[in-house]
Amino acid sequence: MQSINLNYNSMQLTPLEIIRRESLQKLRELGINPYPPEEFKTTTSIKQIISNFEEFEGKEVILAGRMMSRRIMGKASFAELKDASGRMQIYINRDEICSDEEAVMYNTVFKKLLDMGDIIGIRGTVFKTNVGEESVKVKELTVLSKSLRPLPVVKTDADGKIHDAFSDAELRYRQRYVDLIVNDTVKETFIKRTKITTSIREFFNERGYLEVETPILQPIPGGAAARPFKTHHNALDMPLYLRIANELYLKRLIVGGFDAVYEFAKDFRNEGMDRTHNPEFTVMELYVAYKDYNWMMNMTEELLEKVALDSNGTTEMKIGKNDVSFKAPYPRVPILEAIRIHTGFDVAGMNDIQLKEVCKKVGVEVDETMGVGKLIDELFGSKCEHHYIQPTFIIDYPKEMSPLTKKHRTNPDLTERFELMVNGKELANAYSELNDPIEQRERFEDQLKLSEKGDDEAMFIDQDFIRALEYGMPPTSGIGIGIDRLVMFMTNNSSIQEVLFFPQMKPEKKAPSVELNDDEKVLLELLKATTPILLNNLKIKSGFSNKKWDKTLKGITKHNLAKVNATDAGLFVEVV
RNA sequence: GACCUGGUAGCUCAGUUGGUAGAGCACCUCCCUUUUAAGGAGGUGGUCCUGGGUUCGAGCCCCAGCCCGGUCACCA
């Protein structure tokens, strides 16, 4: 983008950056390419050495990584090298890496021209220092990439206590690359995230379930109730929406004859952002033919137990202040039972008027647009949800709030649906899927009525999806698991931003321009008319307020267009 | 969207009824061959988020705005 390029061109360098650019130039003058093109072949990784130290001791290794700290002591130095696998100390001795008289590689390149953050390669032998620290004695040093910006300096003391941590949330999210370099725990979070998704894939693939991809750009944003992002396709000249869910597409595939399909889907919802909501987020949805929601509950227990073990090595977890166990089985509580337990009211079979009465009594706010489903959802959400810390299936939701769910086998007012609650939050949502096309059309029409009544979350009708159901979909159970939320639980993070590499942020403000502003131009013209001029006279001529005067004069002196001279006769300003 | 915190050096942070902008680390110069939050001596470095205002004088007070975070509201 043009504006960004302009910003870079007009960027004012800090003294630290200028020094590094000068070092870069000097490296080139010494005939060292600071960005060499050749492959750099390493023989092992830091983690390998640390975890098999006896095997490596005395042997030669070649490593590459970022220099994270440096302690120079005359003719010898220690530095910390960090590669993708870990950190370890390297020992650099002048006479080991240099044979020439001037010892250029040590005295000039290592001591003067390299900086913290530079990427280097080393060849040397593994040894242990007198103090017992595992290290590599460097015999050869190669510059692999010069770093032009100083990294934050984060130090860890002998007790493992971190000093001057790079902790500003805004900087960490905007410059995640820096966060990943200096904050090791951040990297661990994201490695764990991949372990979790890998664990889920393994679980499904072993069962022969098929991983698929379905459209993100959808003409009708179906499968959930949420405000979509809208975009436009130029060639077709039609609106398209970023998907809010992929449910209806996966069910079409079940119609098409796949027994089990799943997708890790980025979904998009144009709604508020907070600690647990990002406009784009990841949901794993799975559909399995010939199963029901009871089967799905059993599978979910098994899956989560495995995910906990694969990612953390245990089913027992600390989430915030709570101890949570993912050991199966999990209790199954009908939603109306939960409401009875936590409010004292049995709302089974109540109509909307009676429900509003109950809401009023227990202090839950309601409005006219709310139907039975929404009222029950509201009661559960504000009075019950937060009580379910241990994994608990809340089951048998009312029909009104579940337009894609099959009617309950014993009670036609309810549906075969469950939500899995963990730590007081929803983690998964699953149904015995509605496969009766005639009833599905009726449910959609009920949603349309809700929408006309003012419910802006009611679902859109997808005619093609109904057509697919009319060809016949086997009885099927489906589930959606919020992956970001699952990762939050498994890594004990309370903010979704901590488990997304690049959480959504408002743009940074523009870098200051080197262009003169209008006030500065005016002042410079005045100055050019009479130069040198007594400072106070120029101030009076400008007519600027004190603050504006001060800022503007500082502005043009900073650009080196004018300077102030102190003489016996007073302060004079002149053009340079 | 509402309310509350905060925004000062590359990083982490101080900053006194409003009176010339500070510390630690980093950086620069010098000393130092198994150190480790290495150490010792000296030094450089600032759009105090932005724009107005009050004042002889604003990092600090007032007004408007921007950005992060938190709480609530909204929301699968």
Side-chain angles (χ1 to χ4, degrees):
Chain A
M1 295 236 301
Q2 184 106 19
S3 62
I4 289 169
N5 286 334
L6 283 174
N7 288 342
Y8 276 111
N9 290 338
S10 63
M11 186 171 54
Q12 298 202 343
L13 297 175
T14 65
L16 298 180
E17 289 171 310
I18 291 166
I19 289 166
R20 287 182 178 223
R21 275 160 207 253
E22 286 168 359
S23 298
L24 179 79
Q25 189 51 37
K26 285 176 194 158
L27 283 172
R28 289 204 160 108
E29 284 162 11
L30 284 171
I32 295 170
N33 183 352
Y35 304 105
E38 303 86 20
E39 175 187 10
F40 187 82
K41 280 191 178 140
T42 57
T43 59
T44 184
S45 72
I46 287 171
K47 191 178 173 190
Q48 283 296 321
I49 297 173
I50 300 289
S51 48
N52 307 292
F53 184 76
E54 279 73 30
E55 201 180 299
F56 279 96
E57 192 164 16
K59 303 242 172 72
E60 185 171 281
V61 293
I62 299 175
L63 294 172
R66 198 183 285 272
M67 188 168 73
M68 297 302 289
S69 71
R70 206 168 41 151
R71 298 180 284 283
I72 295 173
M73 299 169 302
K75 299 188 189 78
S77 300
F78 292 93
E80 189 180 25
L81 188 72
K82 176 179 176 161
D83 73 5
S85 71
R87 299 165 178 252
M88 86 178 287
Q89 176 169 272
I90 59 175
Y91 172 73
I92 299 171
N93 185 302
R94 186 191 67 183
D95 301 326
E96 294 275 350
I97 64 167
C98 302
S99 51
D100 52 319
E101 192 85 351
E102 263 105 57
V104 173
M105 200 59 198
Y106 184 74
N107 287 334
T108 308
V109 175
F110 177 74
K111 277 170 69 175
K112 304 264 193 236
L113 304 182
L114 289 190
D115 292 286
M116 235 180 78
D118 287 350
I119 295 166
I120 57 173
I122 58 153
R123 183 176 58 81
T125 47
V126 176
F127 78 113
K128 203 175 259 187
T129 64
N130 292 345
V131 196
E133 171 127 5
E134 292 142 351
S135 309
V136 176
K137 185 185 289 183
V138 177
K139 300 231 176 76
E140 191 183 355
L141 181 66
T142 313
V143 180
L144 297 178
S145 180
K146 177 79 192 147
S147 158
L148 297 182
R149 277 177 190 265
L151 286 171
V153 186
V154 180
K155 294 199 174 183
T156 308
D157 65 21
D159 304 326
K161 202 173 159 222
I162 293 169
H163 299 262
D164 295 332
F166 178 60
S167 56
D168 183 271
E170 181 172 3
L171 283 177
R172 287 183 49 233
Y173 301 152
R174 286 196 197 282
Q175 301 185 41
R176 180 69 89 184
Y177 35 90
V178 175
D179 194 28
L180 288 163
I181 292 167
V182 302
N183 293 329
D184 289 338
T185 56
V186 172
K187 207 168 169 183
E188 283 162 23
T189 297
F190 289 100
I191 291 171
K192 204 177 267 187
R193 182 177 176 122
T194 298
K195 275 189 187 162
I196 288 165
T197 52
T198 302
S199 172
I200 296 171
R201 285 192 166 95
E202 278 171 11
F203 184 91
F204 291 160
N205 291 347
E206 271 170 25
R207 284 162 178 72
Y209 302 169
L210 189 71
E211 182 167 12
V212 298
E213 290 181 278
T214 64
I216 292 173
L217 285 173
Q218 302 180 346
I220 298 164
R227 294 217 308 266
F229 286 93
K230 191 176 182 179
T231 184
H232 183 262
H233 190 282
N234 290 342
L236 298 178
D237 190 22
M238 64 179 283
L240 284 172
Y241 300 86
L242 296 181
R243 69 178 167 202
I244 56 174
N246 57 351
E247 169 156 0
L248 303 186
Y249 284 91
L250 291 177
K251 286 189 196 168
R252 284 172 170 98
L253 295 180
I254 298 294
V255 171
F258 293 104
D259 269 347
V261 289
Y262 72 95
E263 179 175 17
F264 281 87
K266 262 286 175 77
D267 289 345
F268 304 83
R269 295 185 186 175
N270 203 342
E271 283 160 0
M273 290 167 60
D274 61 27
R275 218 170 62 259
T276 55
H277 295 85
N278 194 66
E280 58 179 288
F281 60 102
T282 305
V283 178
M284 194 296 303
E285 289 203 31
L286 165 73
Y287 292 81
V288 188
Y290 309 111
K291 307 298 183 190
D292 66 4
Y293 78 142
N294 291 316
W295 176 90
M296 188 62 86
M297 281 187 261
N298 296 338
M299 188 224 72
T300 305
E301 288 169 343
E302 219 181 306
L303 173 68
L304 289 182
E305 207 178 276
K306 171 179 155 63
V307 167
L309 286 169
D310 286 350
S311 60
N312 284 326
T314 170
T315 55
E316 309 308 302
M317 222 130 300
K318 194 99 188 163
I319 303 178
K321 284 179 232 152
N322 299 319
D323 291 309
V324 175
S325 172
F326 283 92
K327 184 108 191 90
Y330 312 148
R332 301 175 185 193
V333 182
I335 187 168
L336 298 180
E337 180 69 9
I339 290 172
R340 196 184 59 73
I341 292 168
H342 297 289
T343 68
F345 289 96
D346 186 352
V347 298
M350 282 189 179
N351 62 26
D352 52 344
I353 303 190
Q354 296 166 304
L355 275 166
K356 279 179 189 166
E357 200 62 28
V358 171
C359 285
K360 209 169 282 174
K361 280 184 192 151
V362 299
V364 170
E365 278 186 39
V366 295
D367 65 61
E368 291 81 53
T369 69
M370 287 178 164
V372 171
K374 200 118 203 244
L375 288 163
I376 288 176
D377 194 31
E378 207 58 36
L379 273 174
F380 180 78
S382 55
K383 292 289 158 190
C384 312
E385 196 171 68
H386 59 275
H387 291 291
Y388 294 99
I389 302 300
Q390 299 306 319
T392 306
F393 294 112
I394 302 297
I395 65 172
D396 301 345
Y397 284 67
K399 204 169 85 178
E400 292 81 357
M401 50 199 293
S402 314
L404 301 168
T405 313
K406 193 175 270 189
K407 250 189 305 215
H408 196 275
R409 60 196 77 183
T410 60
N411 183 342
D413 294 335
L414 304 178
T415 56
E416 299 209 346
R417 170 180 181 182
F418 73 80
E419 290 194 357
L420 176 63
M421 312 301 303
V422 177
N423 201 40
K425 309 245 161 55
E426 177 202 336
L427 176 61
N429 181 19
Y431 323 136
S432 298
E433 303 296 335
L434 177 56
N435 61 344
D436 174 341
I438 292 168
E439 189 178 351
Q440 182 65 77
R441 187 182 294 279
E442 286 166 8
R443 299 275 197 98
F444 274 140
E445 277 159 5
D446 290 343
Q447 288 290 304
L448 201 61
K449 280 180 206 143
L450 283 177
S451 163
E452 282 159 3
K453 224 173 146 190
D455 185 344
D456 56 2
E457 301 158 15
M459 287 188 191
F460 297 74
I461 298 186
D462 186 333
Q463 298 292 351
D464 175 70
F465 172 65
I466 293 171
R467 179 169 63 190
L469 290 189
E470 284 168 355
Y471 282 101
M473 180 173 87
T476 298
S477 184
I479 187 170
I481 299 176
I483 295 300
D484 308 297
R485 230 169 245 190
L486 178 63
V487 176
M488 285 165 68
F489 289 146
M490 293 295 167
T491 59
N492 194 14
N493 275 303
S494 58
S495 161
I496 195 170
Q497 297 167 105
E498 294 294 343
V499 302
L500 299 173
F501 273 127
F502 303 105
Q504 196 56 241
M505 301 282 266
K506 284 200 183 181
E508 291 177 76
K509 59 174 181 245
K510 274 190 255 167
S513 162
V514 289
E515 302 280 307
L516 292 184
N517 66 32
D518 291 347
D519 290 332
E520 287 164 346
K521 282 176 188 159
V522 168
L523 189 65
L524 194 61
E525 286 312 307
L526 284 172
L527 179 61
K528 277 177 180 164
T530 327
T531 183
I533 181 171
L534 203 58
L535 184 135
N536 234 335
N537 290 351
L538 181 63
K539 178 181 171 186
I540 290 161
K541 268 174 89 175
S542 73
F544 289 162
S545 73
N546 289 324
K547 183 168 275 183
K548 186 175 273 186
W549 158 255
D550 188 56
K551 247 184 213 317
T552 310
L553 183 65
K554 275 181 183 163
I556 61 173
T557 53
K558 186 148 199 160
H559 285 110
N560 221 6
L561 295 167
K563 66 174 179 176
V564 180
N565 289 320
T567 68
D568 295 340
L571 292 172
F572 283 88
V573 190
E574 60 177 308
V575 290
V576 173

